[in-house]
Amino acid sequence: MKRPRPCSIADALAVIGEKHSLLVLREVFYGVRRFDGLVANIGAPRDILAARLRRLVEAGVLEKVSYQEHPPRFEYHLTDAGRELRPVLLTLMQWGDRHLADVPPVVFEHACGAELEPRVVCRACGEEPTEGSLTARFRDPGWTAAGAAPATNKA
């Protein structure tokens, strides 16, 4: 079997790519941190949600924090890695609003008073990337944009 393309997208999806994992992150960003609140707002079966929470904690996206000793109860807090997913969720929501919703169910207002419209821009020039403005540079010499590079025969 050929090895798949090395890819940070695939690696990230292994951690957060399941529907309920993304919905857990949505709720924690809203401030819902306790299991019962997550179950109520997500609608996932308790066992599925517990498994997703375990995976997000193991991956370092969430941190499990005790808020009650008897019986033991926990909240889920974002780690730095989890907080870095905010723009991912905002742009995913923006795509859903544009292509799937008649009316966006949630609108975020920025501290400046304007409705937030997330953007991805080049950190050097501030321009949005377009199809023609990006060049992929593969660090693994065995790969190109088209796929696995042909093996070379070294004599």
Side-chain angles (χ1 to χ4, degrees), residues 81-97:
R83 281 185 287 280
E84 286 182 19
L85 289 166
R86 182 181 312 273
V88 174
L89 288 176
L90 288 170
T91 53
L92 184 61
M93 182 184 79
Q94 180 184 43
W95 184 89
D97 289 347

Side-chain angles (χ1 to χ4, degrees), residues 64-97:
K64 192 173 175 180
V65 178
S66 175
Y67 71 87
Q68 179 179 309
E69 289 186 27
H70 301 292
R73 298 275 187 253
F74 298 91
E75 291 184 332
Y76 295 90
H77 294 224
L78 294 162
T79 62
D80 288 342
R83 281 185 287 280
E84 286 182 19
L85 289 166
R86 182 181 312 273
V88 174
L89 288 176
L90 288 170
T91 53
L92 184 61
M93 182 184 79
Q94 180 184 43
W95 184 89
D97 289 347

Side-chain angles (χ1 to χ4, degrees), residues 33-83:
R33 295 183 178 92
R34 295 183 181 179
F35 187 78
D36 288 341
L38 294 169
V39 169
N41 293 347
I42 294 170
R46 296 175 79 82
D47 59 332
I48 298 291
L49 191 57
R52 297 307 173 264
L53 286 165
R54 269 193 306 278
R55 177 71 180 116
L56 291 167
V57 169
E58 290 166 1
V61 174
L62 293 177
E63 176 183 22
K64 192 173 175 180
V65 178
S66 175
Y67 71 87
Q68 179 179 309
E69 289 186 27
H70 301 292
R73 298 275 187 253
F74 298 91
E75 291 184 332
Y76 295 90
H77 294 224
L78 294 162
T79 62
D80 288 342
R83 281 185 287 280

Side-chain angles (χ1 to χ4, degrees), residues 120-140:
V120 175
V121 298
C122 174
R123 72 174 180 222
C125 70
E127 291 187 21
E128 290 189 50
T130 61
E131 189 175 334
S133 71
L134 298 175
T135 302
R137 304 209 189 283
F138 294 88
R139 297 199 172 165
D140 183 330

